[in-house]
Amino acid sequence: MSQAAFRVGVVTFPGTLDDRDAARAVRLAGGEPVALWHRDHDLRSVDAVVLPGGFSYGDYLRCGAIARFSPVMTEIADAARGGLPVLGICNGFQVLCESHLLPGALTRNESLHFVCRDQRLRIESTSTAWTGDYSDGEEITVPLKNGEGGYVADAATLDRLEGEGLVVARYLDVNPNGSYRDIAGIRNERGNVVGLMPHPEHAVEPLTGPTTDGLGFFTSVLRSLAGAAA
Amino acid sequence: MARRTTDKSEREPNLGARVARVVVDVMLKPEILDPQGQAIHKALGRLGFAGVDEVRAGKRFEVTVSDSLAGDPQALEDEVRRLAETLLANTVIEDFTVRVEA
């Protein structure tokens, strides 16, 4: 296809850390990263959005609780309900849960320690906008770094996530933060919204990452957009 | 709650205005693990405080209201309940109580 690259927005909140790595991952995957600012209502005609990691608004009140009500999130929430692909990584996952675009919540690590490690994961849902380039059950290793990454939800919600195949990734070897049922990432029913606690954007180049396993999230969304446009 | 205006008369203390304080307590739901409470519980044990079965940690918010709402206890409580649900608590994992102080 000789068309222009797809535009993938990367949001910067005050306190965001990983926006540049996310933009770099988009570029390495072949997309055009587009910076989105938390106070803007303008999504700049992007085809997909990444909510990167960090500590938006200082994590005050609860992680993601203030970011949820930022002008840009109002637009993203509406667009996500309309099918716009949105990937929330770490703090971005927390924002998606606070926005009720994904069920459950993320709480203080069971150990109370901030955890930073290369984490092995199993990809369990490949029918999302962000995971189509992986194979079912594929095992990948990407960095994980969080203080409040424990995924929690009531038993009925957990059963529904498992029953409907909405768990996208699960921790292997160790459960680093006490997440219920080893859940590292989930999706919505439609598959356009995915939240993930580990960081695929830090595993896209051999020089700086433990692997290049994370690139698949970014190539997947571009392939999914190309499929939708074809 | 009506937004405060920037009118000078509104900014200066008005001795006739009614002021109310509302306390919102937010606690993790019982089924949600509370590692902070557990750490506090363990520390109490190390300090020699015997007989403590469990500690759960929460948050307390004091909301001061000084407009017409303060004169209507029911409307005041309803409004604070609404703001607590919207922002102060994440009702997916937390419960909250609202108490209007005299």
Side-chain angles (χ1 to χ4, degrees), chain A residues 13 22-23 36 42 113 142 147 195 214:
Chain A
F13 300 104
L36 298 178
D42 183 5
H113 293 287
V142 301

Short mmCIF file of all heavy atoms in Angstrom, two decimals, chain A residues 13 22-23 36 42 113 142 147 195 214:
data_model
loop_
_atom_site.label_atom_id
_atom_site.label_comp_id
_atom_site.label_asym_id
_atom_site.label_seq_id
_atom_site.Cartn_x
_atom_site.Cartn_y
_atom_site.Cartn_z
N PHE A 13 0.56 13.57 29.58
CA PHE A 13 -0.03 14.22 30.76
C PHE A 13 1.13 14.83 31.56
O PHE A 13 2.28 14.41 31.39
CB PHE A 13 -0.75 13.20 31.65
CG PHE A 13 -1.88 12.46 31.01
CD1 PHE A 13 -1.73 11.14 30.59
CD2 PHE A 13 -3.12 13.07 30.83
CE1 PHE A 13 -2.79 10.45 30.01
CE2 PHE A 13 -4.17 12.38 30.25
CZ PHE A 13 -4.00 11.08 29.84
N ALA A 22 7.23 5.44 23.58
CA ALA A 22 6.05 4.96 22.86
C ALA A 22 6.05 5.52 21.44
O ALA A 22 5.75 4.79 20.48
CB ALA A 22 4.78 5.37 23.61
N ALA A 23 6.40 6.80 21.29
CA ALA A 23 6.44 7.41 19.96
C ALA A 23 7.51 6.73 19.10
O ALA A 23 7.31 6.47 17.91
CB ALA A 23 6.73 8.90 20.07
N LEU A 36 -0.04 14.13 21.47
CA LEU A 36 -1.32 14.67 21.93
C LEU A 36 -1.10 15.24 23.34
O LEU A 36 -0.45 14.61 24.18
CB LEU A 36 -2.40 13.58 21.98
CG LEU A 36 -2.75 12.93 20.64
CD1 LEU A 36 -3.80 11.84 20.85
CD2 LEU A 36 -3.26 13.95 19.64
N ASP A 42 -8.38 18.28 20.90
CA ASP A 42 -8.14 17.91 19.51
C ASP A 42 -7.34 16.60 19.43
O ASP A 42 -6.22 16.53 19.94
CB ASP A 42 -7.37 19.05 18.85
CG ASP A 42 -7.14 18.80 17.36
OD1 ASP A 42 -7.67 17.80 16.84
OD2 ASP A 42 -6.43 19.62 16.74
N HIS A 113 6.55 -3.02 47.39
CA HIS A 113 7.77 -2.53 46.75
C HIS A 113 7.49 -2.16 45.30
O HIS A 113 6.69 -2.80 44.63
CB HIS A 113 8.86 -3.61 46.77
CG HIS A 113 9.35 -3.92 48.15
ND1 HIS A 113 10.15 -3.06 48.85
CD2 HIS A 113 9.14 -4.99 48.94
CE1 HIS A 113 10.42 -3.59 50.04
NE2 HIS A 113 9.81 -4.76 50.12
N VAL A 142 9.20 -8.63 28.23
CA VAL A 142 9.30 -7.17 28.13
C VAL A 142 9.51 -6.61 29.54
O VAL A 142 9.20 -7.27 30.53
CB VAL A 142 8.03 -6.54 27.50
CG1 VAL A 142 7.78 -7.10 26.10
CG2 VAL A 142 6.81 -6.74 28.37
N GLY A 147 4.61 0.42 40.79
CA GLY A 147 4.38 0.37 42.23
C GLY A 147 2.94 0.01 42.54
O GLY A 147 2.63 -0.50 43.61
N GLY A 195 -5.48 -2.78 27.80
CA GLY A 195 -4.67 -2.25 28.89
C GLY A 195 -3.64 -3.28 29.29
O GLY A 195 -3.95 -4.47 29.37
N GLY A 214 8.29 -6.53 22.17
CA GLY A 214 7.20 -5.57 22.35
C GLY A 214 6.72 -4.93 21.07
O GLY A 214 5.63 -4.36 21.02
#
